[in-house]
Amino acid sequence: MTTLINEEGLRVDGRRIDQLRPFKLEVGVLRNADGSAYIEMGKNKIVAAVYGPKEVHPKHQTLPDKCLLRCRYHMSPFSTDTRKNPAPSRREIEISKILREALEPALILGDYPRTAIDVYIEVLQSDGGSRCASLTAAALALADAGINMRDLVVACAAGKIEGKIVLDLNDAEDKEGEADVPVAIMPNLNQVTLLQLDGTVTREEFKTAFELALQGCKTLYDAQRATLITKYFGKAEPPQQEAQESQESQEE
Amino acid sequence: MPGIIRKYVVPGELIVDGKYRLGANVYASQDKVYSTRVGLAEISRGEVRVIPLSGSYIPRVDDFVIGKIKDYSAFAWEVDIASCFYAYLPAQAVFGRDYSPAQDSMLDRFKIGDMVAAKIAAFDRTRDPLLSVSGPGLGLINRGEIVKIMPTKVPRLIGKKGSMIKTVEAGTSCRLSIGQNGIIVVNGPPDGIAKAVNAIRLIEEEAHTADLTQKVEALLTGSGGA
């Protein structure tokens, strides 16, 4: 077995155990989508696109009291080392479902009755933890689309490799390690929208992993917020002394 | 205006703590007011609201909108108003109460593809919006240039008490009809239309910046814009 943590306590990619991979966030990357976002998290490269609210097709799926949220997580054939069959796999169908369920509580779907919102997530290059990166990007895309939300959603994984609890597993650690705990939260409401566990950990280890993942989420949330603010306002500070005349009017 | 606090917010961000009247695009939980959109939060005179910077058009009763006839049935036209709902323009609203599908031909009034200026007569969560074309300035649009902008930028294009729209109209000798759904009809001389379209694009792109009026004036007085 390969060693995942060396004598100096560094991981295969040179990170400390409580360190995130380098990441990059962007919003509004697709012209035709109502909202879109792009995330690079380590070697992950993921685009999320939001279309809607729009009328529901097929019509019988329409919900009379709220919006229908549909989510597709898809990995491009070239996103993995060996070609991946583009047909949705068991895993992709499952991730689509858990992403939808992780986004749903953050959206105020009751504001858009009889409509649908489609979220498409395309993994262009994959590394470990793509579901978490996808969620972080999808939440940004939804905010970009201007859909009413209670909160953003931000996700990060923690895991156990060689008996140590570490933050943000990459592909090698995910495959060789003992456990993976993806966590998604609504950071302002302090609520968890996704919590999975793959592998075995003790209660104490789980607690540590969960806390560590929360730390990771907080860091990512700050970046999410900064990305949106920069995109929409161009600068990262609040206005306060904005010229009076510049601000919005009422109707004609 | 004194006593207005403004800040940039993202969805879920805490705007203010305490009891406030809730304006648009906010929600309260345990006396804390949060934003539901990316936008500019304003706290003034006990009210909190967020001016959103993205999002699609959600109809409101009495809004002036511009739409395109998509389809018609025996009793109504279906109008695309660039929203998540198709709007319905009932034939009775055009022909009057004694409308009869046997006597009146709907195609005489509006054909598929026609643009109409209308008011939202009724809309609530349970039903698609209903339109009305009775009123001054409403009905078939038979000339002019159509421009589409983001619906969230419409208030900026109109400006305080219509100041921005007046600036553009004066600078281009055009007439602008601005639908709340972000569809605009520009009428006037050809070079004026080109100028006005440029000005509208500028306003859409730089809606959040200060001294926008000056920028627009510079564009309009400059050599032809572009």
Side-chain angles (χ1 to χ4, degrees):
Chain A
M1 209 177 103
T2 51
T3 48
L4 293 172
I5 301 180
N6 69 12
E7 313 80 63
E8 289 149 44
L10 295 180
R11 293 149 71 176
V12 279
D13 49 8
R15 280 183 293 157
R16 281 175 281 106
I17 58 169
D18 60 349
Q19 202 177 358
L20 286 169
R21 287 169 286 182
F23 59 86
K24 186 174 122 186
L25 292 168
E26 270 176 58
V27 279
V29 291
L30 304 176
R31 202 175 165 74
N32 284 338
D34 294 311
S36 59
Y38 173 73
I39 184 169
E40 279 179 20
M41 182 95 199
K43 285 180 191 144
N44 280 311
K45 290 182 179 164
I46 301 167
V47 193
V50 170
Y51 297 84
K54 56 183 187 177
E55 64 277 37
V56 190
H57 286 293
K59 273 226 153 109
H60 69 87
Q61 290 185 347
T62 311
L63 303 171
D65 59 333
K66 61 174 185 173
C67 176
L68 176 70
L69 179 66
R70 294 183 290 207
C71 211
R72 184 185 85 145
Y73 168 94
H74 184 248
M75 290 174 84
S76 294
F78 49 82
S79 65
T80 44
D81 287 343
T82 51
R83 181 181 184 275
K84 186 207 151 284
N85 185 334
S89 61
R90 192 215 96 251
R91 176 178 170 277
E92 284 167 290
I93 295 167
E94 181 209 309
I95 294 182
S96 302
K97 174 183 177 288
I98 61 111
L99 292 186
R100 188 188 75 232
E101 287 171 354
L103 291 170
E104 235 165 15
L107 295 166
I108 308 179
L109 294 175
D111 285 359
Y112 309 98
R114 294 169 293 116
T115 59
I117 297 171
D118 285 330
V119 181
Y120 295 98
I121 295 154
E122 190 70 29
V123 180
L124 303 177
Q125 182 172 299
S126 70
D127 196 2
S130 68
R131 72 189 65 196
C132 291
S134 300
L135 258 182
T136 307
L140 276 182
L142 283 163
D144 185 36
I147 289 156
N148 285 343
M149 298 169 86
R150 283 184 193 90
D151 202 346
L152 288 173
V153 177
V154 59
C156 183
K160 182 180 168 191
I161 52 172
E162 292 175 1
K164 285 208 175 75
I165 299 299
V166 300
L167 183 64
D168 191 23
L169 304 185
N170 64 25
D171 198 36
E173 294 168 336
D174 194 18
K175 287 197 176 104
E176 306 285 333
E178 290 118 85
D180 178 22
V181 186
V183 179
I185 59 163
M186 294 192 281
N188 293 294
L189 298 174
N190 242 335
Q191 289 175 349
V192 175
T193 68
L194 168 74
L195 180 56
Q196 293 184 306
L197 168 61
D198 179 16
T200 43
V201 285
T202 65
R203 273 163 186 269
E204 284 66 41
E205 282 169 345
F206 178 79
K207 248 189 175 165
T208 329
F210 182 69
E211 291 299 327
L212 197 58
L214 289 187
Q215 289 307 311
C217 287
K218 294 266 150 72
T219 314
L220 278 167
Y221 174 69
D222 292 340
Q224 251 186 340
R225 185 176 180 278
T227 311
L228 280 175
I229 297 276
T230 322
K231 159 80 195 299
Y232 281 99
F233 304 101
K235 52 186 182 240
E237 285 122 53
Q240 240 37 268
Q241 283 317 311
E242 199 110 328
Q244 302 283 336
E245 67 87 24
S246 82
Q247 280 334 310
E248 316 280 325
S249 73
Q250 296 305 307
E251 263 72 286
E252 279 164 278
Chain B
M1 278 176 286
I4 294 192
I5 304 168
R6 294 195 177 91
K7 54 182 173 182
Y8 295 155
V9 288
V10 300
E13 192 164 327
L14 178 70
I15 304 171
V16 71
D17 204 335
K19 278 204 195 307
Y20 285 88
R21 257 180 305 128
L22 302 181
N25 306 308
V26 297
Y27 76 96
S29 163
Q30 292 160 359
D31 275 350
K32 286 184 164 75
V33 185
Y34 301 91
S35 169
T36 64
R37 292 285 196 91
V38 182
L40 186 71
E42 282 191 349
I43 309 162
S44 63
R45 285 180 247 107
E47 187 182 81
V48 188
R49 63 174 186 152
V50 171
I51 300 157
L53 284 175
S54 63
S56 62
Y57 172 67
I58 301 292
R60 273 188 320 180
V61 173
D62 276 348
D63 270 3
F64 172 77
V65 293
I66 292 167
K68 191 187 217 170
I69 305 281
K70 279 281 161 187
D71 199 0
Y72 68 98
S73 66
F75 298 101
W77 287 271
E78 212 169 84
V79 188
D80 179 7
I81 52 165
S83 174
C84 45
F85 308 101
Y86 273 124
Y88 289 92
L89 175 59
Q92 285 194 339
V94 178
F95 292 101
R97 289 284 298 278
D98 54 350
Y99 164 72
S100 137
Q103 281 152 30
D104 303 296
S105 168
M106 295 185 61
L107 284 179
D108 289 350
R109 296 299 180 97
F110 302 117
K111 289 190 286 297
I112 291 173
D114 281 353
M115 299 298 292
V116 285
K119 262 208 157 68
I120 309 272
F123 174 65
D124 63 49
R125 299 164 42 85
T126 61
R127 240 182 263 224
D128 283 339
L130 285 181
L131 297 180
S132 148
V133 289
S134 46
L138 303 183
L140 184 68
I141 296 167
N142 35 32
R143 61 205 170 87
E145 181 89 4
I146 304 279
V147 189
K148 266 188 173 181
I149 62 166
M150 284 166 67
T152 47
K153 306 288 164 71
V154 167
R156 199 71 183 91
L157 178 59
I158 293 169
K160 265 204 158 66
K161 300 215 167 70
S163 61
M164 189 68 88
I165 181 173
K166 274 178 203 145
T167 312
V168 177
E169 283 183 338
T172 61
S173 50
C174 284
R175 204 31 226 122
L176 269 63
S177 335
I178 305 172
Q180 290 293 327
N181 56 346
I183 299 177
I184 302 151
V185 178
V186 189
N187 270 311
D191 56 328
I193 290 180
K195 258 188 184 177
V197 172
N198 282 334
I200 292 167
R201 291 270 163 258
L202 177 85
I203 296 166
E204 184 187 16
E205 264 156 47
E206 309 203 5
H208 59 279
T209 56
D211 66 354
L212 185 58
T213 317
Q214 285 95 303
K215 280 185 197 162
V216 172
E217 274 163 3
L219 177 86
L220 293 175
T221 51
S223 50

